Amino acid sequence: MNSDELKLRLKKFALRIIKLSESLPNNMTGKTLSNQIIRSGTSPGANYRAACLSKSDKDFLNKLKMVEEELDETLYWLELIVESGLVKAEQLDDLKNENLELFRIIVSSINTMKKKLNSEKITS
């Protein structure tokens, strides 16, 4: 998967999060979880775009770490939405799976960049 494909996939993920947020109940719990998941679920795409414009490999790695953290946080909110009874687990299975796949892709990219940075240290 190239960077443009991942940007698109992260944008589609964000749009799905927005739709989920809009479907949550208009009560205190629904509003609170909606606000949280909107923040964490839409920022990976923006942070990945910023990573693609990084000035250095270290900067790229740091921005990827932010994407990783936001995806992990989004998974937490998805779990809380299900466990609080706001949405049935089956309704969020696909979204949770996409979250996990994106998380794994980012972690793999982080590991690749760490190896690259470590090999550059050894050779310099």
Side-chain angles (χ1 to χ4, degrees), residues 1-13 44-45 48-49 52 60 64 67 71 98 101-107 109:
M1 172 176 300
N2 67 36
S3 64
D4 286 337
E5 292 169 333
L6 186 53
K7 284 178 193 177
L8 181 59
R9 195 164 165 183
L10 286 162
K11 184 187 276 186
K12 286 180 180 179
F13 177 75
Y48 182 73
R49 287 173 70 107
C52 291
F60 180 73
L64 281 185
V67 175
L71 285 168
E98 178 67 356
E101 285 182 29
L102 290 167
F103 183 82
R104 288 182 187 118
I105 290 166
I106 295 300
V107 168
S109 296

Side-chain angles (χ1 to χ4, degrees), residues 20-50:
L20 168 64
S21 174
E22 291 296 322
S23 74
L24 294 176
N26 195 19
N27 59 28
M28 186 176 192
T29 303
K31 287 178 188 177
T32 301
L33 293 176
S34 175
N35 287 336
Q36 294 290 350
I37 202 163
I38 279 284
R39 286 186 191 100
S40 68
T42 58
S43 68
N47 287 327
Y48 182 73
R49 287 173 70 107

Side-chain angles (χ1 to χ4, degrees), residues 54-65 113 117 120-121:
S54 296
K55 304 294 184 228
S56 69
D57 287 345
K58 283 184 181 180
D59 187 34
F60 180 73
L61 180 61
N62 287 332
K63 288 181 171 131
L64 281 185
K65 290 294 288 175
M113 185 54 65
L117 289 170
E120 287 174 2
K121 280 183 188 177

Side-chain angles (χ1 to χ4, degrees), residues 74-90:
T74 301
L75 183 58
Y76 173 78
W77 297 123
L78 288 170
E79 291 169 353
L80 222 52
I81 287 168
V82 169
E83 292 172 25
S84 67
L86 294 177
V87 177
K88 291 181 182 178
E90 313 82 62

